[in-house]
Amino acid sequence: MAGATETRLISRDTSGVDAIAAVTIGLSALLFALSLAALFEIITISDPVAGIPIVTLLGGILVLLGGVVIGFGIGSYVGVVETQPSSSAGLVASATFSLVWFALGGIMAQVIGVGGITWLPIALIIGGAAFAVTAVLREDIGSTLPAGAVTLFIGVVYLTGTIGPAWIWELSWEQQASLTAEFVIPVGTLFCALLTGWAAAKTYGGFGARGRRMGAYLLIYLNASSIVGVLFILIAFTTLKGVPGLFTGATVGLGVGPTVFGVTLPISLPFVMNGASLFNEFQGVLPAIVGTIWLVIGAVLFAVPLGVGAAVFLTEYAERGRFTQVVEVATNGLWSTPSIVFGLFGFAFLVPRFGGNKSLISGMLTLGFMLLPLVLITSREAILAVPDEYRDASAALGVSKWQTIRSVVVPAALPGVVTGVILGVGRIAGETAPILLTMTGGTFVPGGQTADVIGGFQFTATPPFVANPELLQATTALPFQLYALITAGVGLGDTVSSPEQFQWATAFVLLFIVLSFYAVGIGARYYFRRKLQHE
């Protein structure tokens, strides 16, 4: 546009600074991921990269990041980088940096040999100085200088070899303990990556409200990514450790597998098709697999109708008052109750009422009582989340209250109910204490039979007219099998007698079953949600 003049805001060129800040953020995120990998021993800090020791490489990157972050703050303060910083970095940042530098000062004092409690005044002085810098100075200096200084200091420590791959710090406690480089270096690097990434994100946002928001987003994204990463690492690690044991003794060919519904399978997996018996060439966990599946099914069949029914009553019929408040407190307390307490309850209350012996039905009901509070809580919240317009529209059509609840409210709340069941199943499927006290023998005896619950039903001429001896028999489950067989040192057979391999294979099967239940629950939730949207 002819005659137009560029204002100072338009004419400023910060693309170079933005690019450097973006690269710093990316490098911090990469360093964060590498630190997690080193912490879980996916990579080792003793192996060199292109002939450069990893610790030296990390130290160089930290020094670079620390210098860049400090440069951002100084550039903003002198006006080279145009930003809109606040007068202070805030109380939260001040308290955080004071604690960081307090801990760092105390560690430095003890490492250099300051005895007694002399380290405390040194740490207080350093922490107080960090608090003053962050709280008193402008936001650009208060956010970058302490973060960059920490990163620089730790980077120099790595570069000088003060902390190397063979470094060990013996803690002078009553119980012998030590910190090793395999733990300290990844944790220190991870923490510095968070600090520099946060400071660089604030710089990229120009400090102020936008910079604080971008810094918070970065911390949230990195922590969320670490949670997902740890999950995948756990699954991958368990899979790599467990698959070799799972396929021990496996054979493939026509007619080699067991017969199911009159059809002979072309594969034989002794680990998942055999029981744990001294007469088996290869030990297996079939009774434990079946016991775990029946435990979850029985608990769900017991808890879901009761929980959903109680939630419907509390939300649709009961008046809001002391009674509903007491129920809320009680259900929240029950969900927080340790599993061993439920196990003791089942042992003292349920076991004597089913013949005085540990049994499958006692374990089902015990885990059902554990699942019930969560089903009630999530079902109640899901029903409360159903818009009142649904109820009003149904009532306007002349539909009764119960028909409205059954045909409108409950179907709309089903995705939330299924979510609660999914979360609960993940907990109860891996419990050991309730199973040990209510369902399995006190001493593990190999050779347990697979529970045939469906085939165990019998009709009788006396009340209750239906009996199932299988429900009254003690059986095993994968969590207890994992504990009992490894404790007993039972291996996989004559070919591979490795308790550790058996342990990982059992853990893999347990993880696979739990994830399968999750998949079924997620599929059910998706089905009900899609059906609700179409209707």
Side-chain angles (χ1 to χ4, degrees):
M1 199 167 51
T5 59
E6 291 185 347
T7 64
R8 182 171 180 268
L9 180 62
I10 296 175
S11 62
R12 73 182 182 92
D13 184 12
T14 57
S15 59
V17 175
D18 291 343
I20 296 174
V23 171
T24 305
I25 294 171
L27 190 57
S28 299
L30 177 61
L31 203 60
F32 183 85
L34 291 177
S35 302
L36 279 179
L39 190 62
F40 286 93
E41 298 182 354
I42 297 176
I43 61 176
T44 57
I45 61 173
S46 58
D47 294 335
V49 176
I52 303 175
I54 286 184
V55 178
T56 303
L57 183 63
L58 292 177
I61 295 175
L62 290 178
V63 169
L64 175 63
L65 290 177
V68 171
V69 167
I70 293 176
F72 285 152
I74 296 176
S76 173
Y77 188 78
V78 300
V80 176
V81 180
E82 293 191 20
T83 56
Q84 296 178 341
S86 301
S87 58
S88 172
L91 184 61
V92 175
S94 303
T96 301
F97 281 124
S98 64
L99 289 175
V100 170
W101 277 102
F102 172 82
L104 197 58
I107 292 173
M108 287 189 297
Q110 294 190 34
V111 169
I112 63 178
V114 176
I117 61 171
T118 311
W119 67 270
L120 183 59
I122 299 175
L124 287 173
I125 292 173
I126 296 177
F131 183 88
V133 169
T134 309
V136 175
L137 298 181
R138 219 168 63 173
E139 182 187 13
D140 45 8
I141 294 295
S143 297
T144 58
L145 186 59
V150 170
T151 306
L152 267 175
F153 176 79
I154 294 181
V156 171
V157 168
Y158 292 170
L159 284 176
T160 57
T162 306
I163 295 180
W167 178 84
I168 297 178
W169 183 17
E170 297 291 345
L171 302 176
S172 58
W173 294 345
E174 294 182 0
Q175 295 182 351
Q176 295 295 327
S178 61
L179 292 177
T180 62
E182 286 80 4
F183 174 78
V184 172
I185 291 177
V187 170
T189 307
L190 185 146
F191 188 71
C192 290
L194 286 176
L195 288 180
T196 54
W198 171 77
K202 292 191 72 174
T203 304
Y204 188 83
F207 297 104
R210 184 169 180 266
R212 288 191 294 271
R213 184 169 63 252
M214 295 193 69
Y217 283 165
L218 178 75
L219 293 179
I220 292 172
Y221 288 150
L222 286 180
N223 282 280
S225 300
S226 66
I227 293 172
V228 176
V230 169
L231 173 62
F232 279 105
I233 289 173
L234 174 64
I235 295 176
F237 189 78
T238 306
T239 301
L240 291 175
K241 289 281 190 177
V243 167
L246 180 69
F247 287 98
T248 299
T251 55
V252 179
L254 296 177
V256 299
T259 301
V260 180
F261 299 113
V263 178
T264 302
L265 300 180
I267 184 172
S268 174
L269 289 176
F271 185 80
V272 296
M273 295 176 179
N274 290 350
S277 174
L278 297 177
F279 301 101
N280 290 336
E281 181 182 359
F282 295 100
Q283 306 300 326
V285 292
L286 179 61
I289 295 174
V290 175
T292 302
I293 294 174
W294 279 118
L295 269 177
V296 173
I297 292 175
V300 169
L301 292 178
F302 172 76
V304 171
L306 286 179
V308 175
V312 169
F313 172 77
L314 291 173
T315 54
E316 302 296 328
Y317 292 100
E319 295 290 337
R320 179 73 180 178
R322 292 185 179 274
F323 174 73
T324 55
Q325 292 176 355
V326 170
V327 172
E328 288 180 11
V329 173
T331 51
N332 289 327
L334 280 175
W335 176 241
S336 304
T337 301
S339 60
I340 186 64
V341 177
F342 282 98
L344 290 172
F345 164 76
F347 179 76
F349 182 79
L350 295 176
V351 171
R353 284 158 179 79
F354 292 105
N357 298 318
K358 297 177 183 180
S359 59
L360 177 60
I361 192 170
S362 298
M364 288 179 174
L365 294 178
T366 302
L367 296 183
F369 281 117
M370 287 183 60
L371 180 62
L372 181 60
L374 182 63
V375 173
L376 175 56
I377 293 170
T378 55
S379 299
R380 189 166 182 270
E381 294 297 328
I383 293 173
L384 288 173
V386 176
D388 290 334
E389 288 81 1
Y390 289 12
R391 301 175 178 87
D392 296 339
S394 181
L397 295 175
V399 181
S400 65
K401 185 172 185 177
W402 167 242
Q403 289 176 330
T404 299
I405 294 171
R406 184 187 63 186
S407 303
V408 178
V409 177
V410 173
L414 273 179
V417 174
V418 174
T419 300
V421 175
I422 293 172
L423 295 174
V425 165
R427 179 187 178 185
I428 64 175
E431 291 293 345
T432 304
I435 297 173
L436 176 63
L437 292 173
T438 60
M439 196 184 75
T440 60
T443 303
F444 178 78
V445 180
Q449 298 298 317
T450 303
D452 184 13
V453 175
I454 297 178
F457 282 103
Q458 302 173 359
F459 293 97
T460 61
T462 57
F465 305 109
V466 177
N468 193 331
E470 293 292 329
L471 292 175
L472 300 178
Q473 298 294 325
T475 185
T476 187
L478 284 170
F480 178 75
Q481 185 96 341
L482 183 62
Y483 162 77
L485 283 180
I486 300 307
T487 303
V490 177
L492 289 169
D494 296 334
T495 305
V496 181
S497 299
S498 173
E500 182 180 357
Q501 197 175 28
F502 191 96
Q503 174 186 5
W504 284 110
T506 307
F508 172 76
V509 173
L510 176 59
L511 182 63
F512 179 80
I513 289 177
V514 172
L515 293 179
S516 299
F517 279 119
Y518 278 160
V520 171
I522 293 172
R525 183 178 61 184
Y526 177 77
Y527 168 78
F528 289 122
R529 184 176 295 170
R530 186 176 180 182
K531 184 178 179 181
L532 180 64
Q533 291 174 351
H534 281 295
E535 293 179 354

